[in-house]
Amino acid sequence: MLNRRRLLVLGATLGGATALPFTRLIPVDAEDRDPIHNPHRIGQRATGTGVRPAVTAFTEQMPVPPVLQPVQSASGVDLYKIAIQASTAELLPGLKTPVLTYGGSLVGPTIRARTGRPVKVTYVNQLTEQANVHLHGGHVPAASDGHPMDVIQPGQSRVYDYPNRQQGATLWYHDHSHHTEAEHVYRGLHGFYLIDDPAESRLALPQGKYDVPIMLRDAQFDAEGGLVFFDDPANRTTILANGKIQPYFPVAARKYRFRLLNAANEHVFRLNLGGKEMVQIASDSGLLPAPVPLTELVLSSAERAEIVIDFARYPVGTKLVLSNGSDPVLRFDVVRPAIDLSRLPATLRPLPALPAATIERDVAMSFDLAGTGPVGLVNGKPYDPNRIDFQIKRGTTEIWNITNADTIPGVQHTFHLHMTNFRVLERDGGKPLPQDAGLKDTVHVSENGKMRVQATFADHLGTYVYHCHFLEHSSLGMMAQMEIVP
Ligand code: C2O
Ligand code: CU
Ligand code: CU
């Protein structure tokens, strides 16, 4: 067996005044793959350079992913059906980019669920390889969680049960098939799953067409318009907003609720409106206790933040650019006046009481560089589906100390916990930052970072994973599992 795996360690800096330096680790030689911790599939070799394709900014309108209609609504359950299929997308003018999709388009159809009303989704795998579906942020039975080893074979289908016994939140669904999750999500296996909560309707927040999900992700293209995967993630310098490069979005002069998702495999977005105010109302798992005005929103991979922008402050004709650092991502064009009956109340939804923690655990994420290629580790071990790392009694409240144990300069991580959510108690030994507010399921862990979080493991029994959500890292083994027991 050839052993030419190369470790790519680049201290690349993303463009933009406020960009962070990133060091990235990925295996670049597809011939060398151990059976457990490297991607199995031969993919494209690196052909790109991170040079961005020339696209004229703000010439295309940002689409809003369509809301999927149930194929059946019976006895209080909505049934949906989605094909997992290869397709093409026009991401660059005149070029067809091969993509993998849920339902045919790069950003999958949006499922709009409701607190208290279960959903069942049948996924039909029409790919020539295995895939699966994880509902990120969903509190779902283990059998429907899209465990990495629990995959849908080509030609097979599978029904996932989502009870929706949780408060309103912006969730998303994406592939989680072991070793291939990073490539699959990168090639397009991602979509929104929004839970509307009847308990929130009294708040009269913007709704309907004024409640808009926006999926942000990065991409690297080759000359034919193909997505380059096997290269340094720092070369994914093109940002897509709902699948479009630098689109515009016409808005009325009123309040909008935007549900921002960072669906990039490995990217920390620092979003701003050129100094203008955005008001954060929700994070990963739902509403914050009160709105938080911000001029910059930091969103790491898999995190969500909901913001309200009140365009009534700006005269018709105003154009407001949402940028990542200094890189324009999307332009809001205020095109017409409007009567706005929606509200942004001073208080939203109190967080549930925090039960006392009875157990404290450490979770250290790092890379092992001693061998022929990088292996991702949690507490010193690569992922092993046959090993239970933590056994947790259902109902327990625990404190987890999550550390970035890497000594490689510039390497960052983003921690995600399945099945439940958590509250950030401390960041790096101090107070949490604005991006840590509310109930979270994913949190960025900076270089030498230390996050202290508290979670209650109620609801479901069974085996669930927790991992780094820089998906190249989790495919390399930076994942572990817990078993919730009675
Ligand atoms: Cu977004 Cu384990 O997943
Ligand atoms: Cu990581
Ligand atoms: Cu692995």
Side-chain angles (χ1 to χ4, degrees):
M1 196 62 199
L2 283 173
N3 215 345
R4 297 190 291 116
R5 207 181 306 149
R6 276 194 296 134
L7 171 64
L8 196 72
V9 183
L10 289 183
T13 305
L14 294 180
T18 60
L20 297 167
F22 287 89
T23 298
R24 316 288 182 134
L25 290 149
I26 56 159
V28 291
D29 192 327
E31 286 173 26
D32 298 297
R33 30 195 84 241
D34 75 40
I36 302 290
H37 292 113
N38 279 311
H40 285 154
R41 295 181 51 250
I42 307 283
Q44 287 168 297
R45 289 308 184 86
T47 52
T49 55
V51 173
R52 291 162 61 142
V55 168
T56 313
F58 316 129
T59 50
E60 284 202 80
Q61 185 167 334
M62 181 185 75
V64 177
V67 174
L68 192 65
Q69 293 309 306
V71 288
Q72 199 189 320
S73 288
S75 36
V77 183
D78 293 323
L79 310 176
Y80 295 89
K81 194 167 181 180
I82 297 178
I84 308 175
Q85 59 186 118
S87 183
T88 58
E90 188 173 326
L91 306 177
L92 301 171
L95 293 175
K96 293 249 175 286
T97 300
V99 291
L100 302 179
T101 71
Y102 292 116
S105 54
L106 180 72
V107 179
T110 298
I111 292 180
R112 276 224 175 232
R114 203 160 229 274
T115 298
R117 185 177 172 91
V119 157
K120 285 181 198 288
V121 191
T122 303
Y123 283 92
V124 187
N125 184 3
Q126 297 175 356
L127 303 178
T128 53
E129 61 191 80
Q130 62 183 37
N132 76 355
V133 188
H134 168 57
L135 179 59
H136 183 122
H139 304 177
V140 313
S144 288
D145 195 49
H147 184 274
M149 307 309 290
D150 196 1
V151 295
I152 315 173
Q153 296 302 332
Q156 302 295 301
S157 67
R158 161 105 196 215
V159 182
Y160 290 84
D161 272 302
Y162 301 136
N164 301 319
R165 286 197 305 266
Q166 60 189 97
Q167 67 176 57
T170 298
L171 312 186
W172 61 302
Y173 58 99
H174 64 77
D175 182 86
H176 216 306
S177 55
H178 193 33
H179 302 297
T180 39
E181 69 272 44
E183 184 172 6
H184 281 178
V185 174
Y186 178 73
R187 296 201 186 283
L189 291 183
H190 46 39
F192 279 103
Y193 185 106
L194 310 178
I195 301 183
D196 290 321
D197 193 336
E200 290 169 9
S201 56
R202 64 179 175 85
L203 298 174
L205 292 163
Q207 53 173 303
K209 62 181 177 180
Y210 306 109
D211 172 0
V212 180
I214 303 177
M215 178 189 288
L216 300 175
R217 56 156 295 172
D218 55 16
Q220 180 187 356
F221 294 96
D222 63 25
E224 288 76 50
L227 287 167
V228 177
F229 177 70
F230 286 103
D231 193 1
D232 188 328
N235 285 336
R236 297 171 190 161
T237 50
T238 300
I239 296 170
L240 304 170
N242 284 345
K244 289 279 177 216
I245 300 169
Q246 295 181 325
Y248 67 92
F249 189 67
V251 294
R254 52 157 291 150
K255 289 186 283 304
Y256 280 72
R257 175 182 192 167
F258 295 109
R259 300 167 184 262
L260 304 172
L261 157 67
N262 179 347
N265 279 12
E266 188 175 343
H267 208 134
V268 182
F269 291 123
R270 307 183 80 88
L271 303 169
N272 66 81
L273 271 183
K276 302 281 194 307
E277 184 181 90
M278 310 174 271
V279 181
Q280 187 179 357
I281 58 165
S283 60
D284 300 337
S285 310
L287 291 178
L288 301 177
V292 179
L294 297 170
T295 50
E296 185 187 54
L297 177 71
V298 180
L299 205 60
S300 187
S301 290
E303 287 186 302
R304 289 86 69 209
E306 298 181 30
I307 57 171
V308 170
I309 300 176
D310 190 356
F311 296 105
R313 296 182 178 182
Y314 308 104
V316 169
T318 304
K319 299 175 194 316
L320 283 169
V321 176
L322 180 75
S323 299
N324 174 35
S326 58
D327 183 17
V329 170
L330 159 67
R331 193 179 72 192
F332 298 107
D333 294 357
V334 184
V335 294
R336 60 182 173 87
I339 294 167
D340 188 359
L341 300 176
S342 72
R343 291 191 301 136
L344 178 55
T347 58
L348 297 167
R349 181 171 189 153
L351 295 179
L354 201 58
T358 51
I359 290 187
E360 196 157 330
R361 301 183 197 264
D362 294 324
V363 177
M365 294 181 287
S366 64
F367 277 107
D368 175 7
L369 301 178
T372 48
V375 175
L377 308 174
V378 174
N379 287 343
K381 294 177 191 153
Y383 179 61
D384 179 347
N386 299 313
R387 186 185 71 229
I388 298 294
D389 296 275
F390 292 159
Q391 202 170 62
I392 296 171
K393 213 166 159 235
R394 177 161 63 183
T396 316
T397 296
E398 304 195 349
I399 289 176
W400 288 19
N401 295 299
I402 300 153
T403 52
N404 179 346
D406 266 309
T407 48
I408 314 158
V411 173
Q412 308 182 16
H413 303 292
T414 282
F415 176 81
H416 170 49
L417 179 59
H418 282 219
M419 206 285 279
T420 187
N421 44 38
F422 53 77
R423 208 94 57 94
V424 176
L425 304 177
E426 283 174 23
R427 172 182 282 272
D428 302 337
K431 287 208 315 204
L433 293 177
Q435 64 261 35
D436 305 322
L439 282 168
K440 302 274 298 161
D441 56 50
T442 306
V443 76
H444 179 233
V445 188
S446 52
E447 198 176 345
N448 303 314
K450 251 187 203 356
M451 303 300 294
R452 190 170 161 86
V453 309
Q454 180 156 344
T456 299
F457 297 83
D459 295 347
H460 305 286
L461 300 174
T463 302
Y464 295 86
V465 293
Y466 49 95
H467 56 92
C468 181
H469 215 294
F470 285 164
L471 293 178
E472 278 75 7
H473 297 192
S474 54
S475 343
L476 288 166
M478 202 175 289
M479 181 159 68
Q481 53 192 8
M482 57 185 181
E483 185 186 14
I484 317 295
V485 298

